[in-house]
């Protein structure tokens, strides 16, 4: 009878083993959730960078198409483009400036806000963790 009781005591898993297994599973799930959150941030940064590149190239093509216009840095095209920059990028602004001393050379600059990632080192007194990003394209018409 003593032999049978010992066999029954060691045949099942204890509550402690189940709790340890649940803890390990919970830590793993938290890691997957954190990885997904970082992946979403990277995706948003990539999208914003692509939009800035697309918008700058679009304005460069508009300027090339209107090369004979009296003013390439103002007008309906620039106003429509500035509106698109503001709509597509968080805190987005676009500026077109001619390069001094060089004919038919312009700088298209797009500035937008981007959230810092964990590995970019948020300072304790830095505030919101928003980083302004500048994308500059120099265009010869």
């Amino acid at each position: 009878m003593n032999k049978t009781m010992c066999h029954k005591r060691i045949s099942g898993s204890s509550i402690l083993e189940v709790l340890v297994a649940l803890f390990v599973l919970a830590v793993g799930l938290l890691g997957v959730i954190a990885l997904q959150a970082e992946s979403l941030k990277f995706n948003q940064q990539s999208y914003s960078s692509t939009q800035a590149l697309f918008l700058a190239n679009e304005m460069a093509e508009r300027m090339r198409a209107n090369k004979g216009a009296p003013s390439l840095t103002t007008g309906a095209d620039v106003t429509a483009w500035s509106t698109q920059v503001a709509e597509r990028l968080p805190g987005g602004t676009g500026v077109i400036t001619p390069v001094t001393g060089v004919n038919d050379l312009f700088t298209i600059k797009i500035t937008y806000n981007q959230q810092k990632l964990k590995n970019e080192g948020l300072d304790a007194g830095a505030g919101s963790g928003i980083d302004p990003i500048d994308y500059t394209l120099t265009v010869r018409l």
Side-chain angles (χ1 to χ4, degrees):
M1 187 165 175
N2 193 7
K3 194 175 189 182
T4 308
M5 288 179 81
C6 286
H7 182 61
K8 286 183 180 181
R9 282 184 77 194
I10 60 171
S11 67
S13 59
S14 71
I15 279 281
L16 184 61
E17 290 172 339
V18 171
L19 288 175
V20 168
L22 285 174
F23 176 75
V24 169
L25 181 66
V27 168
L29 287 175
L30 286 174
V32 168
I33 290 169
L35 183 65
Q36 182 66 23
E38 289 298 306
S39 172
L40 288 174
K41 287 180 190 175
F42 279 122
N43 190 20
Q44 180 61 36
Q45 286 184 355
S46 174
Y47 176 77
S48 295
S49 296
T50 303
Q51 286 299 312
L53 178 116
F54 173 75
L55 288 165
N57 284 327
E58 180 185 12
M59 191 62 222
E61 291 305 317
R62 285 183 184 189
M63 291 170 68
R64 285 187 183 111
N66 297 327
K67 188 175 179 182
S71 177
L72 294 172
T73 58
T74 60
D77 276 347
V78 176
T79 304
W81 175 75
S82 294
T83 303
Q84 284 183 342
V85 170
E87 288 173 354
R88 292 186 186 179
L89 294 170
T93 57
V95 177
I96 303 167
T97 54
V99 175
T100 4
V102 182
N103 289 337
D104 293 336
L105 192 63
F106 294 87
T107 301
I108 301 170
K109 181 178 178 183
I110 296 177
T111 303
Y112 61 95
N113 293 329
Q114 177 172 287
Q115 186 176 3
K116 286 186 179 181
L117 298 174
K118 287 181 184 177
N119 61 354
E120 291 177 330
L122 292 174
D123 296 331
S128 64
I130 300 295
D131 200 15
I133 302 295
D134 291 330
Y135 178 79
T136 306
L137 176 68
T138 304
V139 179
R140 181 176 300 278
L141 303 181

PDB file of all heavy atoms in Angstrom, residues 64-98:
ATOM      1  N   ARG A  64       9.299  70.924 -63.246  1.00  0.00           N
ATOM      2  CA  ARG A  64       9.858  70.667 -64.587  1.00  0.00           C
ATOM      3  C   ARG A  64       8.802  70.887 -65.665  1.00  0.00           C
ATOM      4  O   ARG A  64       9.113  71.377 -66.749  1.00  0.00           O
ATOM      5  CB  ARG A  64      10.408  69.244 -64.655  1.00  0.00           C
ATOM      6  CG  ARG A  64      11.714  69.082 -63.926  1.00  0.00           C
ATOM      7  CD  ARG A  64      12.317  67.699 -64.146  1.00  0.00           C
ATOM      8  NE  ARG A  64      13.539  67.569 -63.376  1.00  0.00           N
ATOM      9  CZ  ARG A  64      13.678  66.777 -62.316  1.00  0.00           C
ATOM     10  NH1 ARG A  64      12.673  66.025 -61.910  1.00  0.00           N
ATOM     11  NH2 ARG A  64      14.819  66.730 -61.673  1.00  0.00           N
ATOM     12  N   ALA A  65       7.561  70.511 -65.360  1.00  0.00           N
ATOM     13  CA  ALA A  65       6.482  70.689 -66.334  1.00  0.00           C
ATOM     14  C   ALA A  65       6.163  72.165 -66.546  1.00  0.00           C
ATOM     15  O   ALA A  65       5.750  72.574 -67.634  1.00  0.00           O
ATOM     16  CB  ALA A  65       5.232  69.947 -65.872  1.00  0.00           C
ATOM     17  N   ASN A  66       6.346  72.996 -65.518  1.00  0.00           N
ATOM     18  CA  ASN A  66       6.046  74.430 -65.588  1.00  0.00           C
ATOM     19  C   ASN A  66       7.313  75.265 -65.656  1.00  0.00           C
ATOM     20  O   ASN A  66       7.366  76.367 -65.121  1.00  0.00           O
ATOM     21  CB  ASN A  66       5.225  74.866 -64.372  1.00  0.00           C
ATOM     22  CG  ASN A  66       3.887  74.180 -64.320  1.00  0.00           C
ATOM     23  OD1 ASN A  66       3.293  73.880 -65.346  1.00  0.00           O
ATOM     24  ND2 ASN A  66       3.415  73.896 -63.119  1.00  0.00           N
ATOM     25  N   LYS A  67       8.339  74.761 -66.311  1.00  0.00           N
ATOM     26  CA  LYS A  67       9.643  75.420 -66.313  1.00  0.00           C
ATOM     27  C   LYS A  67       9.581  76.860 -66.833  1.00  0.00           C
ATOM     28  O   LYS A  67      10.274  77.734 -66.341  1.00  0.00           O
ATOM     29  CB  LYS A  67      10.637  74.613 -67.141  1.00  0.00           C
ATOM     30  CG  LYS A  67      12.053  75.121 -67.036  1.00  0.00           C
ATOM     31  CD  LYS A  67      13.005  74.209 -67.773  1.00  0.00           C
ATOM     32  CE  LYS A  67      14.406  74.771 -67.655  1.00  0.00           C
ATOM     33  NZ  LYS A  67      15.380  73.983 -68.359  1.00  0.00           N
ATOM     34  N   GLY A  68       8.725  77.146 -67.785  1.00  0.00           N
ATOM     35  CA  GLY A  68       8.643  78.497 -68.341  1.00  0.00           C
ATOM     36  C   GLY A  68       7.786  79.445 -67.529  1.00  0.00           C
ATOM     37  O   GLY A  68       7.677  80.626 -67.859  1.00  0.00           O
ATOM     38  N   ALA A  69       7.194  78.977 -66.434  1.00  0.00           N
ATOM     39  CA  ALA A  69       6.315  79.835 -65.619  1.00  0.00           C
ATOM     40  C   ALA A  69       7.142  80.929 -64.941  1.00  0.00           C
ATOM     41  O   ALA A  69       8.309  80.726 -64.611  1.00  0.00           O
ATOM     42  CB  ALA A  69       5.590  79.011 -64.575  1.00  0.00           C
ATOM     43  N   PRO A  70       6.532  82.110 -64.719  1.00  0.00           N
ATOM     44  CA  PRO A  70       7.276  83.212 -64.110  1.00  0.00           C
ATOM     45  C   PRO A  70       7.784  82.909 -62.706  1.00  0.00           C
ATOM     46  O   PRO A  70       8.879  83.307 -62.337  1.00  0.00           O
ATOM     47  CB  PRO A  70       6.284  84.366 -64.096  1.00  0.00           C
ATOM     48  CG  PRO A  70       4.995  83.842 -64.558  1.00  0.00           C
ATOM     49  CD  PRO A  70       5.186  82.467 -65.092  1.00  0.00           C
ATOM     50  N   SER A  71       7.000  82.187 -61.906  1.00  0.00           N
ATOM     51  CA  SER A  71       7.442  81.885 -60.544  1.00  0.00           C
ATOM     52  C   SER A  71       7.150  80.428 -60.231  1.00  0.00           C
ATOM     53  O   SER A  71       5.999  80.012 -60.187  1.00  0.00           O
ATOM     54  CB  SER A  71       6.733  82.794 -59.538  1.00  0.00           C
ATOM     55  OG  SER A  71       7.119  82.429 -58.242  1.00  0.00           O
ATOM     56  N   LEU A  72       8.205  79.670 -60.026  1.00  0.00           N
ATOM     57  CA  LEU A  72       8.035  78.247 -59.737  1.00  0.00           C
ATOM     58  C   LEU A  72       7.835  77.965 -58.255  1.00  0.00           C
ATOM     59  O   LEU A  72       7.428  76.879 -57.887  1.00  0.00           O
ATOM     60  CB  LEU A  72       9.264  77.471 -60.228  1.00  0.00           C
ATOM     61  CG  LEU A  72       9.476  77.440 -61.733  1.00  0.00           C
ATOM     62  CD1 LEU A  72      10.823  76.811 -62.053  1.00  0.00           C
ATOM     63  CD2 LEU A  72       8.374  76.666 -62.408  1.00  0.00           C
ATOM     64  N   THR A  73       8.160  78.919 -57.399  1.00  0.00           N
ATOM     65  CA  THR A  73       8.094  78.671 -55.958  1.00  0.00           C
ATOM     66  C   THR A  73       6.817  79.195 -55.321  1.00  0.00           C
ATOM     67  O   THR A  73       6.670  79.135 -54.111  1.00  0.00           O
ATOM     68  CB  THR A  73       9.310  79.298 -55.255  1.00  0.00           C
ATOM     69  OG1 THR A  73       9.327  80.699 -55.526  1.00  0.00           O
ATOM     70  CG2 THR A  73      10.593  78.659 -55.732  1.00  0.00           C
ATOM     71  N   THR A  74       5.897  79.726 -56.102  1.00  0.00           N
ATOM     72  CA  THR A  74       4.587  80.155 -55.604  1.00  0.00           C
ATOM     73  C   THR A  74       3.552  79.722 -56.624  1.00  0.00           C
ATOM     74  O   THR A  74       3.876  79.233 -57.694  1.00  0.00           O
ATOM     75  CB  THR A  74       4.517  81.689 -55.423  1.00  0.00           C
ATOM     76  OG1 THR A  74       4.765  82.305 -56.685  1.00  0.00           O
ATOM     77  CG2 THR A  74       5.516  82.175 -54.397  1.00  0.00           C
ATOM     78  N   GLY A  75       2.293  79.896 -56.306  1.00  0.00           N
ATOM     79  CA  GLY A  75       1.248  79.588 -57.270  1.00  0.00           C
ATOM     80  C   GLY A  75       0.370  78.434 -56.827  1.00  0.00           C
ATOM     81  O   GLY A  75       0.510  77.884 -55.731  1.00  0.00           O
ATOM     82  N   ALA A  76      -0.544  78.054 -57.720  1.00  0.00           N
ATOM     83  CA  ALA A  76      -1.547  77.041 -57.395  1.00  0.00           C
ATOM     84  C   ALA A  76      -0.917  75.666 -57.162  1.00  0.00           C
ATOM     85  O   ALA A  76      -1.342  74.923 -56.266  1.00  0.00           O
ATOM     86  CB  ALA A  76      -2.584  76.964 -58.514  1.00  0.00           C
ATOM     87  N   ASP A  77       0.099  75.306 -57.982  1.00  0.00           N
ATOM     88  CA  ASP A  77       0.752  74.010 -57.796  1.00  0.00           C
ATOM     89  C   ASP A  77       1.413  73.898 -56.427  1.00  0.00           C
ATOM     90  O   ASP A  77       1.306  72.882 -55.749  1.00  0.00           O
ATOM     91  CB  ASP A  77       1.809  73.778 -58.885  1.00  0.00           C
ATOM     92  CG  ASP A  77       1.216  73.218 -60.157  1.00  0.00           C
ATOM     93  OD1 ASP A  77       0.045  72.771 -60.126  1.00  0.00           O
ATOM     94  OD2 ASP A  77       1.910  73.229 -61.188  1.00  0.00           O
ATOM     95  N   VAL A  78       2.096  74.952 -56.023  1.00  0.00           N
ATOM     96  CA  VAL A  78       2.789  74.935 -54.731  1.00  0.00           C
ATOM     97  C   VAL A  78       1.788  74.909 -53.581  1.00  0.00           C
ATOM     98  O   VAL A  78       1.978  74.196 -52.590  1.00  0.00           O
ATOM     99  CB  VAL A  78       3.759  76.132 -54.605  1.00  0.00           C
ATOM    100  CG1 VAL A  78       4.403  76.172 -53.236  1.00  0.00           C
ATOM    101  CG2 VAL A  78       4.825  76.057 -55.686  1.00  0.00           C
ATOM    102  N   THR A  79       0.689  75.649 -53.716  1.00  0.00           N
ATOM    103  CA  THR A  79      -0.342  75.661 -52.679  1.00  0.00           C
ATOM    104  C   THR A  79      -0.972  74.275 -52.537  1.00  0.00           C
ATOM    105  O   THR A  79      -1.135  73.767 -51.415  1.00  0.00           O
ATOM    106  CB  THR A  79      -1.425  76.702 -53.007  1.00  0.00           C
ATOM    107  OG1 THR A  79      -0.792  77.979 -53.164  1.00  0.00           O
ATOM    108  CG2 THR A  79      -2.461  76.788 -51.912  1.00  0.00           C
ATOM    109  N   ALA A  80      -1.303  73.644 -53.661  1.00  0.00           N
ATOM    110  CA  ALA A  80      -1.889  72.293 -53.627  1.00  0.00           C
ATOM    111  C   ALA A  80      -0.894  71.291 -53.046  1.00  0.00           C
ATOM    112  O   ALA A  80      -1.253  70.413 -52.244  1.00  0.00           O
ATOM    113  CB  ALA A  80      -2.308  71.883 -55.031  1.00  0.00           C
ATOM    114  N   TRP A  81       0.372  71.430 -53.415  1.00  0.00           N
ATOM    115  CA  TRP A  81       1.407  70.535 -52.908  1.00  0.00           C
ATOM    116  C   TRP A  81       1.597  70.709 -51.399  1.00  0.00           C
ATOM    117  O   TRP A  81       1.713  69.726 -50.667  1.00  0.00           O
ATOM    118  CB  TRP A  81       2.709  70.802 -53.656  1.00  0.00           C
ATOM    119  CG  TRP A  81       3.875  70.030 -53.146  1.00  0.00           C
ATOM    120  CD1 TRP A  81       4.133  68.703 -53.325  1.00  0.00           C
ATOM    121  CD2 TRP A  81       4.948  70.538 -52.353  1.00  0.00           C
ATOM    122  NE1 TRP A  81       5.303  68.364 -52.707  1.00  0.00           N
ATOM    123  CE2 TRP A  81       5.825  69.465 -52.103  1.00  0.00           C
ATOM    124  CE3 TRP A  81       5.262  71.792 -51.846  1.00  0.00           C
ATOM    125  CZ2 TRP A  81       6.993  69.619 -51.363  1.00  0.00           C
ATOM    126  CZ3 TRP A  81       6.419  71.936 -51.112  1.00  0.00           C
ATOM    127  CH2 TRP A  81       7.269  70.865 -50.867  1.00  0.00           C
ATOM    128  N   SER A  82       1.616  71.957 -50.930  1.00  0.00           N
ATOM    129  CA  SER A  82       1.769  72.217 -49.492  1.00  0.00           C
ATOM    130  C   SER A  82       0.614  71.615 -48.702  1.00  0.00           C
ATOM    131  O   SER A  82       0.807  71.095 -47.601  1.00  0.00           O
ATOM    132  CB  SER A  82       1.853  73.715 -49.225  1.00  0.00           C
ATOM    133  OG  SER A  82       3.025  74.248 -49.793  1.00  0.00           O
ATOM    134  N   THR A  83      -0.579  71.677 -49.266  1.00  0.00           N
ATOM    135  CA  THR A  83      -1.748  71.071 -48.620  1.00  0.00           C
ATOM    136  C   THR A  83      -1.587  69.559 -48.535  1.00  0.00           C
ATOM    137  O   THR A  83      -1.881  68.948 -47.497  1.00  0.00           O
ATOM    138  CB  THR A  83      -3.031  71.429 -49.394  1.00  0.00           C
ATOM    139  OG1 THR A  83      -3.133  72.851 -49.466  1.00  0.00           O
ATOM    140  CG2 THR A  83      -4.254  70.858 -48.728  1.00  0.00           C
ATOM    141  N   GLN A  84      -1.098  68.942 -49.604  1.00  0.00           N
ATOM    142  CA  GLN A  84      -0.871  67.497 -49.584  1.00  0.00           C
ATOM    143  C   GLN A  84       0.181  67.107 -48.550  1.00  0.00           C
ATOM    144  O   GLN A  84       0.038  66.102 -47.857  1.00  0.00           O
ATOM    145  CB  GLN A  84      -0.423  67.007 -50.958  1.00  0.00           C
ATOM    146  CG  GLN A  84      -1.516  66.921 -51.968  1.00  0.00           C
ATOM    147  CD  GLN A  84      -1.013  66.364 -53.297  1.00  0.00           C
ATOM    148  OE1 GLN A  84       0.193  66.350 -53.561  1.00  0.00           O
ATOM    149  NE2 GLN A  84      -1.934  65.902 -54.120  1.00  0.00           N
ATOM    150  N   VAL A  85       1.242  67.891 -48.445  1.00  0.00           N
ATOM    151  CA  VAL A  85       2.286  67.609 -47.450  1.00  0.00           C
ATOM    152  C   VAL A  85       1.696  67.657 -46.042  1.00  0.00           C
ATOM    153  O   VAL A  85       1.949  66.780 -45.215  1.00  0.00           O
ATOM    154  CB  VAL A  85       3.470  68.601 -47.587  1.00  0.00           C
ATOM    155  CG1 VAL A  85       4.433  68.480 -46.419  1.00  0.00           C
ATOM    156  CG2 VAL A  85       4.199  68.384 -48.902  1.00  0.00           C
ATOM    157  N   ALA A  86       0.876  68.673 -45.778  1.00  0.00           N
ATOM    158  CA  ALA A  86       0.267  68.812 -44.447  1.00  0.00           C
ATOM    159  C   ALA A  86      -0.709  67.675 -44.154  1.00  0.00           C
ATOM    160  O   ALA A  86      -0.835  67.235 -43.005  1.00  0.00           O
ATOM    161  CB  ALA A  86      -0.434  70.156 -44.332  1.00  0.00           C
ATOM    162  N   GLU A  87      -1.410  67.184 -45.183  1.00  0.00           N
ATOM    163  CA  GLU A  87      -2.388  66.116 -44.982  1.00  0.00           C
ATOM    164  C   GLU A  87      -1.744  64.746 -44.824  1.00  0.00           C
ATOM    165  O   GLU A  87      -2.216  63.921 -44.044  1.00  0.00           O
ATOM    166  CB  GLU A  87      -3.363  66.066 -46.167  1.00  0.00           C
ATOM    167  CG  GLU A  87      -4.339  67.212 -46.207  1.00  0.00           C
ATOM    168  CD  GLU A  87      -5.180  67.233 -47.479  1.00  0.00           C
ATOM    169  OE1 GLU A  87      -4.923  66.405 -48.390  1.00  0.00           O
ATOM    170  OE2 GLU A  87      -6.091  68.077 -47.561  1.00  0.00           O
ATOM    171  N   ARG A  88      -0.678  64.480 -45.549  1.00  0.00           N
ATOM    172  CA  ARG A  88      -0.094  63.140 -45.580  1.00  0.00           C
ATOM    173  C   ARG A  88       0.968  62.880 -44.524  1.00  0.00           C
ATOM    174  O   ARG A  88       1.255  61.729 -44.209  1.00  0.00           O
ATOM    175  CB  ARG A  88       0.513  62.859 -46.949  1.00  0.00           C
ATOM    176  CG  ARG A  88      -0.511  62.736 -48.034  1.00  0.00           C
ATOM    177  CD  ARG A  88       0.143  62.327 -49.315  1.00  0.00           C
ATOM    178  NE  ARG A  88      -0.807  62.349 -50.412  1.00  0.00           N
ATOM    179  CZ  ARG A  88      -0.484  62.055 -51.646  1.00  0.00           C
ATOM    180  NH1 ARG A  88       0.751  61.726 -51.947  1.00  0.00           N
ATOM    181  NH2 ARG A  88      -1.391  62.095 -52.591  1.00  0.00           N
ATOM    182  N   LEU A  89       1.566  63.946 -44.005  1.00  0.00           N
ATOM    183  CA  LEU A  89       2.637  63.769 -43.025  1.00  0.00           C
ATOM    184  C   LEU A  89       2.275  64.440 -41.711  1.00  0.00           C
ATOM    185  O   LEU A  89       1.744  65.550 -41.713  1.00  0.00           O
ATOM    186  CB  LEU A  89       3.942  64.359 -43.571  1.00  0.00           C
ATOM    187  CG  LEU A  89       4.521  63.663 -44.795  1.00  0.00           C
ATOM    188  CD1 LEU A  89       5.662  64.479 -45.375  1.00  0.00           C
ATOM    189  CD2 LEU A  89       4.990  62.271 -44.445  1.00  0.00           C
ATOM    190  N   PRO A  90       2.582  63.804 -40.581  1.00  0.00           N
ATOM    191  CA  PRO A  90       2.278  64.415 -39.284  1.00  0.00           C
ATOM    192  C   PRO A  90       3.115  65.673 -39.059  1.00  0.00           C
ATOM    193  O   PRO A  90       4.342  65.620 -39.051  1.00  0.00           O
ATOM    194  CB  PRO A  90       2.620  63.324 -38.274  1.00  0.00           C
ATOM    195  CG  PRO A  90       3.515  62.383 -38.991  1.00  0.00           C
ATOM    196  CD  PRO A  90       3.209  62.506 -40.453  1.00  0.00           C
ATOM    197  N   GLY A  91       2.454  66.813 -38.926  1.00  0.00           N
ATOM    198  CA  GLY A  91       3.153  68.084 -38.743  1.00  0.00           C
ATOM    199  C   GLY A  91       3.950  68.483 -39.970  1.00  0.00           C
ATOM    200  O   GLY A  91       4.955  69.176 -39.859  1.00  0.00           O
ATOM    201  N   GLY A  92       3.515  68.047 -41.146  1.00  0.00           N
ATOM    202  CA  GLY A  92       4.278  68.244 -42.366  1.00  0.00           C
ATOM    203  C   GLY A  92       4.213  69.651 -42.930  1.00  0.00           C
ATOM    204  O   GLY A  92       3.159  70.271 -42.975  1.00  0.00           O
ATOM    205  N   THR A  93       5.372  70.151 -43.347  1.00  0.00           N
ATOM    206  CA  THR A  93       5.463  71.440 -44.037  1.00  0.00           C
ATOM    207  C   THR A  93       6.435  71.274 -45.201  1.00  0.00           C
ATOM    208  O   THR A  93       7.386  70.494 -45.121  1.00  0.00           O
ATOM    209  CB  THR A  93       5.979  72.573 -43.121  1.00  0.00           C
ATOM    210  OG1 THR A  93       7.254  72.193 -42.603  1.00  0.00           O
ATOM    211  CG2 THR A  93       5.024  72.848 -41.987  1.00  0.00           C
ATOM    212  N   GLY A  94       6.177  72.022 -46.274  1.00  0.00           N
ATOM    213  CA  GLY A  94       7.055  71.967 -47.438  1.00  0.00           C
ATOM    214  C   GLY A  94       7.473  73.352 -47.876  1.00  0.00           C
ATOM    215  O   GLY A  94       6.650  74.271 -47.897  1.00  0.00           O
ATOM    216  N   VAL A  95       8.746  73.504 -48.219  1.00  0.00           N
ATOM    217  CA  VAL A  95       9.287  74.797 -48.643  1.00  0.00           C
ATOM    218  C   VAL A  95      10.136  74.570 -49.895  1.00  0.00           C
ATOM    219  O   VAL A  95      10.918  73.622 -49.960  1.00  0.00           O
ATOM    220  CB  VAL A  95      10.162  75.420 -47.530  1.00  0.00           C
ATOM    221  CG1 VAL A  95      10.778  76.720 -47.995  1.00  0.00           C
ATOM    222  CG2 VAL A  95       9.364  75.620 -46.261  1.00  0.00           C
ATOM    223  N   ILE A  96       9.973  75.471 -50.873  1.00  0.00           N
ATOM    224  CA  ILE A  96      10.783  75.418 -52.090  1.00  0.00           C
ATOM    225  C   ILE A  96      11.578  76.718 -52.172  1.00  0.00           C
ATOM    226  O   ILE A  96      10.998  77.799 -52.111  1.00  0.00           O
ATOM    227  CB  ILE A  96       9.895  75.273 -53.336  1.00  0.00           C
ATOM    228  CG1 ILE A  96       9.035  74.027 -53.206  1.00  0.00           C
ATOM    229  CG2 ILE A  96      10.741  75.230 -54.596  1.00  0.00           C
ATOM    230  CD1 ILE A  96       7.927  73.948 -54.203  1.00  0.00           C
ATOM    231  N   THR A  97      12.892  76.583 -52.295  1.00  0.00           N
ATOM    232  CA  THR A  97      13.747  77.774 -52.383  1.00  0.00           C
ATOM    233  C   THR A  97      14.715  77.629 -53.547  1.00  0.00           C
ATOM    234  O   THR A  97      15.277  76.545 -53.763  1.00  0.00           O
ATOM    235  CB  THR A  97      14.554  77.988 -51.084  1.00  0.00           C
ATOM    236  OG1 THR A  97      15.275  76.795 -50.798  1.00  0.00           O
ATOM    237  CG2 THR A  97      13.660  78.332 -49.921  1.00  0.00           C
ATOM    238  N   PRO A  98      14.924  78.706 -54.287  1.00  0.00           N
ATOM    239  CA  PRO A  98      15.940  78.656 -55.344  1.00  0.00           C
ATOM    240  C   PRO A  98      17.337  78.716 -54.726  1.00  0.00           C
ATOM    241  O   PRO A  98      17.554  79.371 -53.710  1.00  0.00           O
ATOM    242  CB  PRO A  98      15.651  79.892 -56.188  1.00  0.00           C
ATOM    243  CG  PRO A  98      14.849  80.790 -55.324  1.00  0.00           C
ATOM    244  CD  PRO A  98      14.183  79.959 -54.283  1.00  0.00           C
TER     245      PRO A  98
END
